[in-house]
Amino acid sequence: MELSVNVDHVATVREARGGTQPDPVYAALVAELAGASGIVCHLREDRRHINERDVRLLREVVKTRLNLEMAATEEMVRIAREVLPDIVTLVPERRQERTTEGGLNVGQQRHYLRTVVDMLHESDIEVSLFVEPVLEQIEAALEVGADRVELHTGHYANATTSEVARQELQRLLNAAEFARTLGLRVAAGHGLTYENIVPICRIRAIEDVSIGHAIVARAIYVGFERAVRQMVELIRYGCLLPPLEG
Ligand code: PXP
């Protein structure tokens, strides 16, 4: 399993003062040096953290793979087709939310999403859909032509008892294996931390995790490079444990 580092919250700190530091582009380079296999950023409609300058520079400097999270809007599709990230992850977006709150409802917007996926494919961009670990959503993702799904791990991360965490892990396992059998690539993310990542590594169908907040938070104490390296090491350890089975 590989680690993709989300640098949005480096930009959040920059925007707190409206200046130029810290720079998510520097952070991306440090993350790559520390062993990250990919860089993720979310260009939101309100530009609250990442802006277009960041996305364009990240495209120039990222040597691993750049995954651009975005809403499926005309404006974002235009930007993606100019910038050409390796992957676009389509996410639902609400202005009032603090962060992405849940997966896309793919079934409800099949026609529209099919058009968006086709346009991104025309520019040779791989398309991932951020979905709940629910079989119908994964089937719908396949139907609209997605290459990948990113499973929403928020319910697992927010579990307040070990029993609920176990159930949510099981849901993620079933969803990840189902997606693989349909030929989709599988990522996971949202709310993953140093404390809850190891069981996720035991789901072998998940090939990539996207982690932002926990790494940026730890970086304040130990530095960005060390924070990324510690997550890479934990993932490596988790992958040595026996696989979870259904
Ligand atoms: N994946 C998606 C689709 C997200 O929207 C986010 C949050 O921006 C993440 C992963 C990373 O979540 P976190 O910052 O909680 O690690």
Side-chain angles (χ1 to χ4, degrees), residues 6 8-9 42 69 89 91 99-100 130 150 189-192 210-214:
N6 179 314
D8 291 352
H9 294 308
H42 184 172
E69 277 181 31
T89 299
V91 299
T99 178
T100 315
F130 183 54
E150 179 179 330
H190 205 84
L192 295 177
S210 169
I211 307 183
H213 186 268

Side-chain angles (χ1 to χ4, degrees), residues 127-143:
V127 184
S128 180
L129 302 188
F130 183 54
V131 294
E132 298 294 328
V134 168
L135 306 191
E136 298 78 59
Q137 293 294 337
I138 294 166
E139 269 174 343
L142 180 76
E143 238 180 79

Side-chain angles (χ1 to χ4, degrees), residues 169-231:
L169 199 61
Q170 190 62 45
R171 265 191 350 128
L172 288 163
L173 172 67
N174 296 341
E177 290 190 336
F178 180 63
R180 286 297 309 149
T181 60
L182 296 184
L184 292 163
R185 304 183 76 170
V186 186
H190 205 84
L192 295 177
T193 65
Y194 296 85
E195 288 73 33
N196 66 23
I197 186 64
V198 167
I200 294 287
C201 304
R202 298 180 58 204
I203 303 178
R204 298 291 195 257
I206 299 176
E207 61 180 83
D208 182 57
V209 281
S210 169
I211 307 183
H213 186 268
I215 292 174
V216 175
R218 183 167 291 205
I220 288 173
Y221 310 122
V222 305
F224 205 72
E225 184 182 354
R226 206 154 146 208
V228 172
R229 214 176 276 290
Q230 287 177 356
M231 188 60 86

Side-chain angles (χ1 to χ4, degrees), residues 66-141:
L66 179 64
N67 183 339
L68 175 63
E69 277 181 31
M70 58 181 228
T73 62
E74 251 176 62
E75 181 201 19
M76 290 299 156
V77 171
R78 180 184 53 71
I79 293 171
R81 294 184 65 175
E82 279 170 31
V83 173
L84 301 177
D86 300 288
I87 303 168
V88 158
T89 299
L90 297 174
V91 299
E93 198 174 297
R94 285 197 312 117
R95 253 181 196 255
Q96 301 80 1
E97 69 190 358
R98 236 185 235 178
T99 178
T100 315
E101 284 170 349
L104 279 172
N105 193 334
V106 185
Q108 257 182 14
Q109 34 183 346
R110 258 170 239 254
H111 277 320
Y112 180 67
L113 285 176
R114 171 99 236 173
T115 312
V116 169
V117 171
D118 286 349
M119 287 177 77
L120 294 167
H121 278 167
E122 270 173 29
S123 299
D124 282 334
I125 301 169
E126 263 192 70
V127 184
S128 180
L129 302 188
F130 183 54
V131 294
E132 298 294 328
V134 168
L135 306 191
E136 298 78 59
Q137 293 294 337
I138 294 166
E139 269 174 343

